[in-house]
PDB file of all heavy atoms in Angstrom:
ATOM      1  N   VAL A  12       5.899  -6.574  -4.305  1.00 98.00           N
ATOM      2  CA  VAL A  12       5.307  -5.601  -5.212  1.00 98.00           C
ATOM      3  C   VAL A  12       5.008  -4.304  -4.498  1.00 98.00           C
ATOM      4  O   VAL A  12       5.245  -3.210  -4.982  1.00 98.00           O
ATOM      5  CB  VAL A  12       4.031  -6.186  -5.880  1.00 98.00           C
ATOM      6  CG1 VAL A  12       3.311  -5.138  -6.684  1.00 98.00           C
ATOM      7  CG2 VAL A  12       4.377  -7.391  -6.748  1.00 98.00           C
ATOM      8  N   ARG A  13       4.479  -4.439  -3.265  1.00 98.00           N
ATOM      9  CA  ARG A  13       4.206  -3.241  -2.453  1.00 98.00           C
ATOM     10  C   ARG A  13       5.453  -2.387  -2.310  1.00 98.00           C
ATOM     11  O   ARG A  13       5.430  -1.181  -2.514  1.00 98.00           O
ATOM     12  CB  ARG A  13       3.702  -3.694  -1.058  1.00 98.00           C
ATOM     13  CG  ARG A  13       3.479  -2.519  -0.092  1.00 98.00           C
ATOM     14  CD  ARG A  13       3.523  -2.958   1.340  1.00 98.00           C
ATOM     15  NE  ARG A  13       4.861  -3.463   1.678  1.00 98.00           N
ATOM     16  CZ  ARG A  13       5.102  -4.110   2.808  1.00 98.00           C
ATOM     17  NH1 ARG A  13       4.157  -4.346   3.677  1.00 98.00           N
ATOM     18  NH2 ARG A  13       6.332  -4.517   3.056  1.00 98.00           N
ATOM     19  N   ASP A  14       6.559  -3.033  -1.984  1.00 98.00           N
ATOM     20  CA  ASP A  14       7.844  -2.310  -1.795  1.00 98.00           C
ATOM     21  C   ASP A  14       8.311  -1.645  -3.072  1.00 98.00           C
ATOM     22  O   ASP A  14       8.831  -0.514  -3.064  1.00 98.00           O
ATOM     23  CB  ASP A  14       8.898  -3.228  -1.223  1.00 98.00           C
ATOM     24  CG  ASP A  14       8.570  -3.685   0.212  1.00 98.00           C
ATOM     25  OD1 ASP A  14       7.647  -3.129   0.833  1.00 98.00           O
ATOM     26  OD2 ASP A  14       9.258  -4.632   0.656  1.00 98.00           O
ATOM     27  N   ARG A  15       8.095  -2.326  -4.214  1.00 98.00           N
ATOM     28  CA  ARG A  15       8.465  -1.715  -5.509  1.00 98.00           C
ATOM     29  C   ARG A  15       7.652  -0.469  -5.784  1.00 98.00           C
ATOM     30  O   ARG A  15       8.164   0.541  -6.275  1.00 98.00           O
ATOM     31  CB  ARG A  15       8.282  -2.723  -6.630  1.00 98.00           C
ATOM     32  CG  ARG A  15       9.335  -3.819  -6.667  1.00 98.00           C
ATOM     33  CD  ARG A  15       9.180  -4.741  -7.858  1.00 98.00           C
ATOM     34  NE  ARG A  15       9.382  -4.003  -9.107  1.00 98.00           N
ATOM     35  CZ  ARG A  15       9.124  -4.514 -10.292  1.00 98.00           C
ATOM     36  NH1 ARG A  15       8.575  -5.727 -10.408  1.00 98.00           N
ATOM     37  NH2 ARG A  15       9.345  -3.821 -11.409  1.00 98.00           N
ATOM     38  N   VAL A  16       6.347  -0.517  -5.489  1.00 98.00           N
ATOM     39  CA  VAL A  16       5.480   0.613  -5.742  1.00 98.00           C
ATOM     40  C   VAL A  16       5.850   1.773  -4.799  1.00 98.00           C
ATOM     41  O   VAL A  16       5.905   2.930  -5.216  1.00 98.00           O
ATOM     42  CB  VAL A  16       3.993   0.248  -5.604  1.00 98.00           C
ATOM     43  CG1 VAL A  16       3.098   1.457  -5.762  1.00 98.00           C
ATOM     44  CG2 VAL A  16       3.621  -0.799  -6.651  1.00 98.00           C
ATOM     45  N   ILE A  17       6.127   1.459  -3.567  1.00 98.00           N
ATOM     46  CA  ILE A  17       6.547   2.517  -2.606  1.00 98.00           C
ATOM     47  C   ILE A  17       7.805   3.217  -3.127  1.00 98.00           C
ATOM     48  O   ILE A  17       7.911   4.452  -3.111  1.00 98.00           O
ATOM     49  CB  ILE A  17       6.731   1.941  -1.193  1.00 98.00           C
ATOM     50  CG1 ILE A  17       5.393   1.586  -0.589  1.00 98.00           C
ATOM     51  CG2 ILE A  17       7.485   2.920  -0.297  1.00 98.00           C
ATOM     52  CD1 ILE A  17       5.462   0.793   0.722  1.00 98.00           C
ATOM     53  N   THR A  18       8.771   2.418  -3.550  1.00 98.00           N
ATOM     54  CA  THR A  18      10.017   2.977  -4.073  1.00 98.00           C
ATOM     55  C   THR A  18       9.757   3.820  -5.337  1.00 98.00           C
ATOM     56  O   THR A  18      10.316   4.935  -5.483  1.00 98.00           O
ATOM     57  CB  THR A  18      11.010   1.867  -4.381  1.00 98.00           C
ATOM     58  OG1 THR A  18      11.275   1.141  -3.186  1.00 98.00           O
ATOM     59  CG2 THR A  18      12.301   2.396  -4.969  1.00 98.00           C
ATOM     60  N   LEU A  19       8.904   3.338  -6.228  1.00 97.00           N
ATOM     61  CA  LEU A  19       8.560   4.084  -7.425  1.00 97.00           C
ATOM     62  C   LEU A  19       7.932   5.422  -7.088  1.00 97.00           C
ATOM     63  O   LEU A  19       8.317   6.463  -7.640  1.00 97.00           O
ATOM     64  CB  LEU A  19       7.640   3.230  -8.316  1.00 97.00           C
ATOM     65  CG  LEU A  19       7.114   3.874  -9.579  1.00 97.00           C
ATOM     66  CD1 LEU A  19       8.262   4.243 -10.513  1.00 97.00           C
ATOM     67  CD2 LEU A  19       6.132   2.945 -10.267  1.00 97.00           C
ATOM     68  N   LEU A  20       6.946   5.376  -6.226  1.00 97.00           N
ATOM     69  CA  LEU A  20       6.262   6.632  -5.844  1.00 97.00           C
ATOM     70  C   LEU A  20       7.212   7.584  -5.130  1.00 97.00           C
ATOM     71  O   LEU A  20       7.168   8.793  -5.376  1.00 97.00           O
ATOM     72  CB  LEU A  20       5.041   6.330  -4.972  1.00 97.00           C
ATOM     73  CG  LEU A  20       3.869   5.635  -5.712  1.00 97.00           C
ATOM     74  CD1 LEU A  20       2.791   5.222  -4.711  1.00 97.00           C
ATOM     75  CD2 LEU A  20       3.312   6.533  -6.799  1.00 97.00           C
ATOM     76  N   ALA A  21       8.042   7.074  -4.260  1.00 97.00           N
ATOM     77  CA  ALA A  21       9.011   7.939  -3.565  1.00 97.00           C
ATOM     78  C   ALA A  21       9.946   8.607  -4.564  1.00 97.00           C
ATOM     79  O   ALA A  21      10.274   9.784  -4.421  1.00 97.00           O
ATOM     80  CB  ALA A  21       9.799   7.119  -2.545  1.00 97.00           C
ATOM     81  N   GLY A  22      10.362   7.878  -5.567  1.00 96.00           N
ATOM     82  CA  GLY A  22      11.217   8.451  -6.612  1.00 96.00           C
ATOM     83  C   GLY A  22      10.523   9.543  -7.404  1.00 96.00           C
ATOM     84  O   GLY A  22      11.179  10.437  -7.954  1.00 96.00           O
ATOM     85  N   ARG A  23       9.216   9.523  -7.391  1.00 96.00           N
ATOM     86  CA  ARG A  23       8.451  10.571  -8.077  1.00 96.00           C
ATOM     87  C   ARG A  23       7.978  11.651  -7.110  1.00 96.00           C
ATOM     88  O   ARG A  23       7.216  12.545  -7.485  1.00 96.00           O
ATOM     89  CB  ARG A  23       7.204   9.933  -8.730  1.00 96.00           C
ATOM     90  CG  ARG A  23       7.554   8.984  -9.851  1.00 96.00           C
ATOM     91  CD  ARG A  23       6.313   8.380 -10.429  1.00 96.00           C
ATOM     92  NE  ARG A  23       6.629   7.503 -11.549  1.00 96.00           N
ATOM     93  CZ  ARG A  23       5.735   6.923 -12.331  1.00 96.00           C
ATOM     94  NH1 ARG A  23       4.428   7.148 -12.100  1.00 96.00           N
ATOM     95  NH2 ARG A  23       6.096   6.154 -13.321  1.00 96.00           N
ATOM     96  N   HIS A  24       8.402  11.550  -5.848  1.00 96.00           N
ATOM     97  CA  HIS A  24       8.021  12.499  -4.810  1.00 96.00           C
ATOM     98  C   HIS A  24       6.510  12.527  -4.577  1.00 96.00           C
ATOM     99  O   HIS A  24       5.902  13.577  -4.362  1.00 96.00           O
ATOM    100  CB  HIS A  24       8.568  13.907  -5.106  1.00 96.00           C
ATOM    101  CG  HIS A  24      10.029  13.924  -5.341  1.00 96.00           C
ATOM    102  ND1 HIS A  24      10.939  13.689  -4.347  1.00 96.00           N
ATOM    103  CD2 HIS A  24      10.752  14.088  -6.494  1.00 96.00           C
ATOM    104  CE1 HIS A  24      12.177  13.729  -4.844  1.00 96.00           C
ATOM    105  NE2 HIS A  24      12.083  13.977  -6.138  1.00 96.00           N
ATOM    106  N   VAL A  25       5.935  11.323  -4.615  1.00 97.00           N
ATOM    107  CA  VAL A  25       4.491  11.142  -4.371  1.00 97.00           C
ATOM    108  C   VAL A  25       4.343  10.395  -3.057  1.00 97.00           C
ATOM    109  O   VAL A  25       5.005   9.350  -2.867  1.00 97.00           O
ATOM    110  CB  VAL A  25       3.843  10.332  -5.520  1.00 97.00           C
ATOM    111  CG1 VAL A  25       2.367  10.049  -5.224  1.00 97.00           C
ATOM    112  CG2 VAL A  25       3.969  11.069  -6.848  1.00 97.00           C
ATOM    113  N   ASP A  26       3.519  10.913  -2.156  1.00 96.00           N
ATOM    114  CA  ASP A  26       3.317  10.255  -0.891  1.00 96.00           C
ATOM    115  C   ASP A  26       2.622   8.914  -1.132  1.00 96.00           C
ATOM    116  O   ASP A  26       1.545   8.863  -1.753  1.00 96.00           O
ATOM    117  CB  ASP A  26       2.457  11.099   0.039  1.00 96.00           C
ATOM    118  CG  ASP A  26       3.205  12.297   0.579  1.00 96.00           C
ATOM    119  OD1 ASP A  26       4.440  12.217   0.700  1.00 96.00           O
ATOM    120  OD2 ASP A  26       2.549  13.318   0.858  1.00 96.00           O
ATOM    121  N   PRO A  27       3.199   7.835  -0.608  1.00 96.00           N
ATOM    122  CA  PRO A  27       2.537   6.524  -0.764  1.00 96.00           C
ATOM    123  C   PRO A  27       1.353   6.426   0.189  1.00 96.00           C
ATOM    124  O   PRO A  27       1.313   7.058   1.255  1.00 96.00           O
ATOM    125  CB  PRO A  27       3.625   5.520  -0.407  1.00 96.00           C
ATOM    126  CG  PRO A  27       4.540   6.269   0.483  1.00 96.00           C
ATOM    127  CD  PRO A  27       4.485   7.708   0.049  1.00 96.00           C
ATOM    128  N   VAL A  28       0.392   5.601  -0.175  1.00 96.00           N
ATOM    129  CA  VAL A  28      -0.717   5.261   0.696  1.00 96.00           C
ATOM    130  C   VAL A  28      -0.172   4.432   1.851  1.00 96.00           C
ATOM    131  O   VAL A  28       0.631   3.525   1.629  1.00 96.00           O
ATOM    132  CB  VAL A  28      -1.771   4.449  -0.075  1.00 96.00           C
ATOM    133  CG1 VAL A  28      -2.898   3.988   0.839  1.00 96.00           C
ATOM    134  CG2 VAL A  28      -2.298   5.245  -1.229  1.00 96.00           C
ATOM    135  N   ARG A  29      -0.585   4.740   3.038  1.00 97.00           N
ATOM    136  CA  ARG A  29      -0.143   3.954   4.204  1.00 97.00           C
ATOM    137  C   ARG A  29      -1.059   2.786   4.426  1.00 97.00           C
ATOM    138  O   ARG A  29      -2.256   2.854   4.106  1.00 97.00           O
ATOM    139  CB  ARG A  29      -0.100   4.836   5.448  1.00 97.00           C
ATOM    140  CG  ARG A  29       0.876   5.993   5.314  1.00 97.00           C
ATOM    141  CD  ARG A  29       1.218   6.576   6.664  1.00 97.00           C
ATOM    142  NE  ARG A  29       1.995   7.791   6.580  1.00 97.00           N
ATOM    143  CZ  ARG A  29       3.281   7.827   6.265  1.00 97.00           C
ATOM    144  NH1 ARG A  29       3.910   6.730   5.985  1.00 97.00           N
ATOM    145  NH2 ARG A  29       3.926   8.987   6.230  1.00 97.00           N
ATOM    146  N   ALA A  30      -0.532   1.733   5.000  1.00 97.00           N
ATOM    147  CA  ALA A  30      -1.347   0.557   5.336  1.00 97.00           C
ATOM    148  C   ALA A  30      -2.263   0.916   6.486  1.00 97.00           C
ATOM    149  O   ALA A  30      -1.883   1.692   7.370  1.00 97.00           O
ATOM    150  CB  ALA A  30      -0.451  -0.604   5.721  1.00 97.00           C
ATOM    151  N   GLU A  31      -3.436   0.341   6.463  1.00 97.00           N
ATOM    152  CA  GLU A  31      -4.350   0.530   7.594  1.00 97.00           C
ATOM    153  C   GLU A  31      -3.974  -0.483   8.676  1.00 97.00           C
ATOM    154  O   GLU A  31      -3.308  -1.482   8.434  1.00 97.00           O
ATOM    155  CB  GLU A  31      -5.796   0.287   7.115  1.00 97.00           C
ATOM    156  CG  GLU A  31      -6.239   1.337   6.108  1.00 97.00           C
ATOM    157  CD  GLU A  31      -7.674   1.110   5.633  1.00 97.00           C
ATOM    158  OE1 GLU A  31      -8.454   0.495   6.359  1.00 97.00           O
ATOM    159  OE2 GLU A  31      -7.992   1.581   4.544  1.00 97.00           O
ATOM    160  N   GLY A  32      -4.418  -0.206   9.883  1.00 96.00           N
ATOM    161  CA  GLY A  32      -4.158  -1.125  10.975  1.00 96.00           C
ATOM    162  C   GLY A  32      -4.874  -2.448  10.859  1.00 96.00           C
ATOM    163  O   GLY A  32      -4.379  -3.495  11.260  1.00 96.00           O
ATOM    164  N   ALA A  33      -6.029  -2.425  10.216  1.00 96.00           N
ATOM    165  CA  ALA A  33      -6.813  -3.630   9.986  1.00 96.00           C
ATOM    166  C   ALA A  33      -7.765  -3.338   8.829  1.00 96.00           C
ATOM    167  O   ALA A  33      -8.004  -2.184   8.479  1.00 96.00           O
ATOM    168  CB  ALA A  33      -7.610  -4.009  11.213  1.00 96.00           C
ATOM    169  N   TYR A  34      -8.278  -4.392   8.253  1.00 97.00           N
ATOM    170  CA  TYR A  34      -9.204  -4.282   7.110  1.00 97.00           C
ATOM    171  C   TYR A  34     -10.445  -5.125   7.410  1.00 97.00           C
ATOM    172  O   TYR A  34     -10.336  -6.141   8.075  1.00 97.00           O
ATOM    173  CB  TYR A  34      -8.526  -4.758   5.841  1.00 97.00           C
ATOM    174  CG  TYR A  34      -7.346  -3.915   5.415  1.00 97.00           C
ATOM    175  CD1 TYR A  34      -6.096  -4.102   5.971  1.00 97.00           C
ATOM    176  CD2 TYR A  34      -7.509  -2.888   4.494  1.00 97.00           C
ATOM    177  CE1 TYR A  34      -5.018  -3.314   5.612  1.00 97.00           C
ATOM    178  CE2 TYR A  34      -6.431  -2.085   4.108  1.00 97.00           C
ATOM    179  CZ  TYR A  34      -5.171  -2.322   4.673  1.00 97.00           C
ATOM    180  OH  TYR A  34      -4.124  -1.527   4.314  1.00 97.00           O
ATOM    181  N   ALA A  35     -11.567  -4.693   6.904  1.00 97.00           N
ATOM    182  CA  ALA A  35     -12.796  -5.453   7.054  1.00 97.00           C
ATOM    183  C   ALA A  35     -12.776  -6.669   6.157  1.00 97.00           C
ATOM    184  O   ALA A  35     -12.405  -6.575   4.973  1.00 97.00           O
ATOM    185  CB  ALA A  35     -14.012  -4.578   6.726  1.00 97.00           C
ATOM    186  N   LEU A  36     -13.102  -7.808   6.714  1.00 97.00           N
ATOM    187  CA  LEU A  36     -13.182  -9.020   5.910  1.00 97.00           C
ATOM    188  C   LEU A  36     -14.508  -9.060   5.186  1.00 97.00           C
ATOM    189  O   LEU A  36     -15.547  -8.686   5.758  1.00 97.00           O
ATOM    190  CB  LEU A  36     -13.039 -10.251   6.795  1.00 97.00           C
ATOM    191  CG  LEU A  36     -11.694 -10.419   7.484  1.00 97.00           C
ATOM    192  CD1 LEU A  36     -11.717 -11.615   8.446  1.00 97.00           C
ATOM    193  CD2 LEU A  36     -10.576 -10.630   6.433  1.00 97.00           C
ATOM    194  N   PRO A  37     -14.547  -9.580   3.956  1.00 97.00           N
ATOM    195  CA  PRO A  37     -15.800  -9.631   3.219  1.00 97.00           C
ATOM    196  C   PRO A  37     -16.734 -10.719   3.708  1.00 97.00           C
ATOM    197  O   PRO A  37     -17.938 -10.680   3.374  1.00 97.00           O
ATOM    198  CB  PRO A  37     -15.348  -9.899   1.771  1.00 97.00           C
ATOM    199  CG  PRO A  37     -14.007 -10.585   1.927  1.00 97.00           C
ATOM    200  CD  PRO A  37     -13.393  -9.998   3.171  1.00 97.00           C
ATOM    201  N   PHE A  38     -16.204 -11.664   4.472  1.00 97.00           N
ATOM    202  CA  PHE A  38     -17.007 -12.759   5.028  1.00 97.00           C
ATOM    203  C   PHE A  38     -16.196 -13.401   6.157  1.00 97.00           C
ATOM    204  O   PHE A  38     -14.967 -13.220   6.202  1.00 97.00           O
ATOM    205  CB  PHE A  38     -17.388 -13.789   3.955  1.00 97.00           C
ATOM    206  CG  PHE A  38     -16.216 -14.245   3.117  1.00 97.00           C
ATOM    207  CD1 PHE A  38     -15.354 -15.249   3.537  1.00 97.00           C
ATOM    208  CD2 PHE A  38     -15.985 -13.663   1.885  1.00 97.00           C
ATOM    209  CE1 PHE A  38     -14.280 -15.637   2.771  1.00 97.00           C
ATOM    210  CE2 PHE A  38     -14.907 -14.053   1.084  1.00 97.00           C
ATOM    211  CZ  PHE A  38     -14.061 -15.052   1.529  1.00 97.00           C
ATOM    212  N   PRO A  39     -16.841 -14.159   7.023  1.00 97.00           N
ATOM    213  CA  PRO A  39     -16.094 -14.809   8.108  1.00 97.00           C
ATOM    214  C   PRO A  39     -15.165 -15.891   7.544  1.00 97.00           C
ATOM    215  O   PRO A  39     -15.539 -16.584   6.607  1.00 97.00           O
ATOM    216  CB  PRO A  39     -17.195 -15.448   8.985  1.00 97.00           C
ATOM    217  CG  PRO A  39     -18.450 -14.778   8.569  1.00 97.00           C
ATOM    218  CD  PRO A  39     -18.296 -14.342   7.181  1.00 97.00           C
ATOM    219  N   VAL A  40     -14.013 -16.006   8.096  1.00 98.00           N
ATOM    220  CA  VAL A  40     -13.046 -17.037   7.692  1.00 98.00           C
ATOM    221  C   VAL A  40     -12.964 -18.059   8.816  1.00 98.00           C
ATOM    222  O   VAL A  40     -12.305 -17.846   9.833  1.00 98.00           O
ATOM    223  CB  VAL A  40     -11.668 -16.424   7.396  1.00 98.00           C
ATOM    224  CG1 VAL A  40     -10.693 -17.470   6.985  1.00 98.00           C
ATOM    225  CG2 VAL A  40     -11.801 -15.354   6.301  1.00 98.00           C
TER     226      VAL A  40
END
């Protein structure tokens, strides 16, 4: 789905949001 959205946005000449290097977890796993 991520790849589909990137392709869709690129086709519209909209810069896609880039992935962050890491994300905060909402709780310990």
Side-chain angles (χ1 to χ4, degrees):
V12 173
R13 176 203 64 191
D14 293 349
R15 286 184 65 191
V16 175
I17 289 170
T18 300
L19 176 61
L20 291 172
R23 294 179 178 186
H24 306 290
V25 175
D26 288 331
V28 175
R29 298 198 188 286
E31 296 181 23
Y34 296 83
L36 294 175
F38 49 82
V40 179

